[in-house]
Amino acid sequence: MYGPEQWGSLEKFQKFYSSTHSLSDTGKRSVSGAINHFHKAITLQNLAIKLIPNLEEDEKELDQHGFSRAVNSSEISAVIEGIILELYSSLDCTRKVVTEIHSNYQGVPDSTRKYFQNIKKGKIDPNFPEQLIIAVNEATWYNGFRMIRDELTHHDTGRCHKDRDTGKIRYIHSGIKIKKESLIIDDIFEKLNQTFSEVNQFIERVFKYLNTKLNNEPVIQICGIFEGRAYTRFVSPHDATDFHGGVCESYKWFDLEGNPTCKFAAQCGAYNKAKKT
């Protein structure tokens, strides 16, 4: 469970923010929500990929009967739209964390839409952190993403079909208009991959900055759970760079006779440091 090499900036912030910020319940849920919504979007994307072959059933029904109920098209479209909504929710939770931590600045609204608008229009406290302003200004994709998300919350499900020549999955939603034309995305999975990357880069930039402002105080971390016992260490944010960071806490009991030792003790720098103190 302790693997800094595999954490992104958001995961690291979740592990260590308690030593610096006393977030409200909403703030705490926003931190976990930023992670969980993103992970849910990944799960839904994997599901959508599994559903692609089912689109052939709609084609067969069309060829055989001259019409199709497009049940499989609706199913994969609903999953795709769920991905978009989950990614926006992850973005929204990220903004809520920023809003709570920086509530003392003027022009920081409790609205993701207005947060982006205020920063892009310069309607924000001049002392607001520059890195957070850069993160918004570089998110040139936000308005288009937000518009689609807004429309999806009010409209029925779109539809997908597989192009017989290219094999790409085209997504169409007649209820969403772009310059008075129905929304058509010729390769929806390419678009989703792009959106994942854009949202992830924004979140990474925000929490990378927030991590630089954390107090460098040791926080207890669970290394892992073995045979029903939790093994822990104390480690500070700056020291959490690899598996060897911090100082083992659990050696005080697992070194005692009759207790199961940590399976990684022999090669763990945190254990070695604890034994030397």
Side-chain angles (χ1 to χ4, degrees):
M1 296 174 66
Y2 180 80
E5 302 95 331
Q6 301 174 12
W7 296 342
S9 293
L10 172 52
E11 286 86 353
K12 184 172 183 178
F13 182 83
Q14 184 185 41
K15 299 284 187 181
F16 292 100
Y17 76 82
S18 61
S19 65
T20 305
H21 303 293
S22 297
L23 296 182
S24 65
D25 288 341
T26 298
K28 294 174 182 177
R29 288 196 298 270
S30 295
V31 175
S32 60
I35 295 174
N36 295 333
H37 284 297
F38 197 90
H39 287 170
K40 191 180 294 184
I42 293 173
T43 299
L44 289 173
Q45 184 184 42
N46 292 334
L47 175 58
I49 292 172
K50 290 180 181 179
L51 293 175
I52 291 176
N54 294 353
L55 291 174
E56 296 180 5
E57 296 301 318
D58 292 346
E59 295 293 332
K60 291 179 181 178
E61 187 178 39
L62 179 62
D63 292 340
Q64 293 175 1
H65 305 289
F67 70 91
S68 174
R69 296 167 296 168
V71 172
N72 296 287
S73 172
S74 295
E75 290 179 349
I76 192 172
S77 297
V79 174
I80 286 169
E81 291 166 6
I83 295 169
I84 295 171
L85 296 177
E86 289 297 329
L87 285 176
Y88 193 89
S89 293
S90 180
L91 188 70
D92 190 46
C93 285
T94 297
R95 191 276 309 160
K96 289 179 180 178
V97 176
V98 172
T99 297
E100 179 161 335
I101 292 175
H102 298 87
S103 59
N104 57 315
Y105 290 93
Q106 293 182 348
V108 184
D110 189 20
S111 162
T112 301
R113 181 198 307 257
K114 291 182 179 179
Y115 174 78
F116 275 79
Q117 287 178 346
N118 284 7
I119 290 179
K120 286 182 178 293
K121 293 180 180 179
K123 296 180 179 179
I124 197 143
D125 194 311
N127 295 315
F128 193 69
E130 181 182 10
Q131 288 301 314
L132 298 180
I133 293 175
I134 292 174
V136 168
N137 286 332
E138 289 186 345
T140 56
W141 45 268
Y142 171 74
N143 284 335
F145 178 49
R146 189 265 309 156
M147 186 202 67
I148 293 175
R149 174 263 185 183
D150 287 351
E151 294 299 323
L152 288 178
T153 60
H154 301 295
H155 287 286
D156 198 359
T157 308
R159 64 185 189 275
C160 288
H161 75 271
K162 186 175 183 179
D163 189 288
R164 293 183 177 181
D165 295 325
T166 65
K168 297 177 180 179
I169 307 302
R170 181 178 288 114
Y171 172 82
I172 302 172
H173 201 304
S174 58
I176 301 177
K177 303 296 182 180
I178 305 294
K179 296 181 180 179
K180 298 183 179 181
E181 298 290 335
S182 296
L183 175 65
I184 300 176
I185 301 175
D186 287 328
D187 189 342
I188 186 59
F189 284 94
E190 179 183 52
K191 181 63 175 178
L192 287 176
N193 287 336
Q194 178 185 346
T195 304
F196 266 103
S197 177
E198 291 166 340
V199 172
N200 187 52
Q201 287 177 13
F202 176 83
I203 293 174
E204 178 69 15
R205 182 149 201 167
V206 168
F207 284 101
K208 184 176 182 179
Y209 167 76
L210 294 181
N211 283 335
T212 66
K213 299 302 179 180
L214 294 178
N215 297 330
N216 196 34
E217 298 176 1
V219 176
I220 194 165
Q221 298 289 328
I222 297 178
C223 304
I225 299 175
F226 311 107
E227 298 180 8
R229 296 171 181 256
Y231 293 71
T232 59
R233 73 179 73 194
F234 276 99
V235 59
S236 65
H238 294 178
D239 201 23
T241 58
D242 57 33
F243 180 74
H244 302 289
V247 179
C248 178
E249 170 69 9
S250 294
Y251 84 97
K252 296 176 182 178
W253 59 262
F254 72 64
D255 268 358
L256 299 177
E257 185 177 355
N259 287 332
T261 188
C262 174
K263 297 180 179 180
F264 298 102
Q267 67 244 32
C268 178
Y271 174 75
N272 291 331
K273 279 181 277 188
K275 296 294 288 185
K276 290 178 181 178
T277 58

